[in-house]
Amino acid sequence: MSDGLTVTREMFDDVMVPNYAPGPVIPVRGQGSRVWDQQGREYVDLAGGIAVTGLGHAHPELVAALTEQAGNLWHLSNVLANEPAIRLAAKLVELTFADKVFFSNSGGEANEAAFKLARRYSWEHAGSHKHNIVACSNSFHGRTLFTVSVGGQQKYREGFEPVPGGIKHVPFNDIEALEAAIDDSTCAFVVEPIQGEGGVTPAKQEYLERARELCDQHQALLIFDEVQSGVGRTGELYAYVKYGVTPDILTTAKALGNGFPIGAMLTTDKVAKSLTVGTHGSTYGGNPLGCAVALKVMDIISQPQVLAGVQERHDLMVSGLQAINEKYDVFADVRGMGLLIGSQLNDKFQGKAKDFMTAALEEGVLALVAGPNVVRMAPSLIIPVEDIKEGLARFERAVAKVVASA
Ligand SMILES: *Cc1c(COP(=O)(O)O)cnc(C)c1O
């Protein structure tokens, strides 16, 4: 290191707040879908951060976009406009349903903006009684106090109460429950088209269609949290295109910056009007560095051949995982869309997803979990076929190891 300090994994526990429990090695370099740790050991990356590095590591065009911007201008604040932010917003407007964009630094902040906008819009158009947000059990929307409150996992709220009120939770994919929950006091229904953290569970087609109808009927806004499902992950630029159901507000982050922190909230002209001057903001949101990188990300990922490649890779990944399952009988289900794939463990391996992730790391492949019973994979959208094959071969050795020790 430049300051002469030799960094070890043990030091993490000495100097960091103990909210994370990172694995035993420290990667120091990445190229495409491979990374190397401090000891020079190489790994196939089937995790992509957590569905973040959609174009892999050190993509030359992204490195060029970042370094070029780094030599020009880092920051102005939102007191002045900057070119990369305007270019990126124009690109997002061109490529999606949206007319207007707000930039944040993360997915949680994009959702925070979405929820605040929904409240503000309803307050302006109907009055303060129309403030209820309906959200799904098991959903994940971020770690700020508002987003853990809207999120459908009690464990993320525990001990942080009192949390903001006016939030109702309904079981995901349950149309009747949604019909009962959305009424004239509802300002918004928020849903992940594919629940990511909750276990890689896609919404049913009829569910999202009915959600759109109910929101229209009760003048509530439909918010899609596409922080994980967006930016090409499903093989469409955003999952809403795949479903043919258009939200009023969409949030995006994770792969948008390919690892450079940036998020965005997209919306229509009509709804955007409620965020008048001074109602919301962010010091770093829309900064030139993040926007320059994200613009290049969108340029590349929106290319039809890149999106088409996601489906081919999906097929390879799923058939590979099913072949492993035929040999070892560990999964009850392999599901997901595009390159967001969840393998649900069967009854014999309940609660053991982390064991599979740990064994995978030992065998030289990065994988993820989504809750205690799902092994999740979210590799680069342009991962070479060779790396998929090698990654799955290593993952098979990891599965064999877990099965042997069970
Ligand atoms: C990761 C994630 C978030 C939170 O994003 P951060 O950048 O960690 O704040 C929100 N919603 C969904 C669906 C996510 O997957």
Side-chain angles (χ1 to χ4, degrees), residues 50-52 105-111 139-144 147 191-197 225-229 251 253-254 262-263 376:
I50 301 181
V52 167
N105 308 293
S106 68
E109 283 178 41
N111 284 329
S139 64
F140 183 79
H141 299 300
R143 298 295 204 127
T144 67
T147 56
V191 63
E192 296 161 86
I194 305 171
Q195 284 195 339
E197 302 307 303
D225 179 346
E226 292 227 34
V227 169
Q228 191 155 159
S229 62
T251 54
K254 288 206 163 93
I262 181 169
R376 171 174 39 164

Side-chain angles (χ1 to χ4, degrees), residues 119-158:
R119 286 257 173 99
R120 186 89 186 182
Y121 175 86
S122 291
W123 172 79
E124 199 176 293
H125 292 265
S128 59
H129 70 281
K130 193 173 172 62
H131 65 244
N132 284 319
I133 296 174
V134 177
C136 293
S137 321
N138 256 332
S139 64
F140 183 79
H141 299 300
R143 298 295 204 127
T144 67
L145 196 59
F146 200 178
T147 56
V148 292
S149 309
V150 174
Q153 302 189 45
Q154 171 57 28
K155 66 178 182 207
Y156 294 137
R157 289 192 284 277
E158 203 167 70

Side-chain angles (χ1 to χ4, degrees), residues 184-223:
D184 290 340
S185 77
T186 307
C187 71
F189 170 56
V190 55
V191 63
E192 296 161 86
I194 305 171
Q195 284 195 339
E197 302 307 303
V200 191
T201 315
K204 289 187 196 132
Q205 179 68 34
E206 323 75 88
Y207 187 65
L208 295 187
E209 284 173 6
R210 188 72 184 120
R212 179 68 274 176
E213 283 171 9
L214 288 165
C215 286
D216 289 343
Q217 209 174 312
H218 295 281
Q219 284 85 50
L221 299 176
L222 180 61
I223 304 175

Side-chain angles (χ1 to χ4, degrees), residues 87-404:
R87 286 208 174 91
L88 175 60
K91 186 78 172 172
L92 289 165
V93 165
E94 175 202 322
L95 293 172
T96 70
F97 75 95
D99 309 309
K100 292 284 192 287
V101 178
F102 168 81
F103 288 119
S104 65
N105 308 293
S106 68
E109 283 178 41
N111 284 329
E112 188 81 23
F115 305 155
K116 282 181 70 180
L117 172 56
R119 286 257 173 99
R120 186 89 186 182
Y121 175 86
S122 291
W123 172 79
E124 199 176 293
H125 292 265
S128 59
H129 70 281
K130 193 173 172 62
H131 65 244
N132 284 319
I133 296 174
V134 177
C136 293
S137 321
N138 256 332
S139 64
F140 183 79
H141 299 300
R143 298 295 204 127
T144 67
L145 196 59
F146 200 178
T147 56
V148 292
S149 309
V150 174
Q153 302 189 45
Q154 171 57 28
K155 66 178 182 207
Y156 294 137
R157 289 192 284 277
E158 203 167 70
F160 297 119
E161 299 92 350
V163 296
I167 299 160
K168 279 196 229 174
H169 291 101
V170 290
F172 182 57
N173 269 336
D174 181 335
I175 290 179
E176 277 173 32
L178 195 62
E179 289 170 342
I182 296 181
D183 59 27
D184 290 340
S185 77
T186 307
C187 71
F189 170 56
V190 55
V191 63
E192 296 161 86
I194 305 171
Q195 284 195 339
E197 302 307 303
V200 191
T201 315
K204 289 187 196 132
Q205 179 68 34
E206 323 75 88
Y207 187 65
L208 295 187
E209 284 173 6
R210 188 72 184 120
R212 179 68 274 176
E213 283 171 9
L214 288 165
C215 286
D216 289 343
Q217 209 174 312
H218 295 281
Q219 284 85 50
L221 299 176
L222 180 61
I223 304 175
F224 280 179
D225 179 346
E226 292 227 34
V227 169
Q228 191 155 159
S229 62
V231 196
R233 189 55 49 198
T234 62
E236 292 285 354
L237 198 55
Y238 286 95
Y240 84 86
V241 177
K242 204 158 185 128
Y243 282 96
V245 176
T246 305
D248 302 293
I249 301 176
L250 180 151
T251 54
T252 178
K254 288 206 163 93
L256 183 59
N258 202 74
F260 197 98
I262 181 169
M265 176 190 72
L266 316 185
T267 190
T268 59
D269 269 327
K270 183 169 169 231
V271 176
K273 286 198 177 74
S274 294
L275 279 193
T276 51
V277 174
T279 50
H280 192 56
S282 162
T283 294
Y284 274 133
N287 83 82
L289 293 167
C291 291
V293 173
L295 180 63
K296 184 54 79 178
V297 167
M298 290 309 276
D299 270 345
I300 298 171
I301 288 186
S302 61
Q303 291 168 18
Q305 71 274 20
V306 173
L307 292 171
V310 172
Q311 191 55 43
E312 290 162 31
R313 288 166 176 80
H314 166 93
D315 295 344
L316 264 176
M317 291 279 298
V318 168
S319 59
L321 288 163
Q322 281 163 347
I324 292 171
N325 196 34
E326 262 157 45
K327 266 186 166 163
Y328 297 95
D329 189 25
V330 286
F331 306 136
D333 189 21
V334 177
R335 61 175 178 249
M337 282 183 181
L339 286 171
L340 182 56
I341 298 168
S343 302
Q344 167 98 38
L345 297 171
N346 66 21
D347 287 343
K348 277 181 292 177
F349 295 93
Q350 286 304 290
K352 291 217 161 23
K354 199 145 190 228
D355 296 2
F356 285 82
M357 184 174 88
T358 303
L361 187 71
E362 287 163 10
E363 294 302 323
V365 55
L366 308 183
L368 297 164
V369 303
N373 301 317
V374 175
V375 179
R376 171 174 39 164
M377 292 180 179
S380 160
L381 308 184
I382 54 168
I383 182 174
V385 167
E386 271 317 300
D387 290 6
I388 293 181
K389 289 185 179 154
E390 179 59 23
L392 289 178
R394 294 180 191 184
F395 184 67
E396 178 169 343
R397 293 200 281 277
V399 169
K401 213 162 153 180
V402 176
V403 169

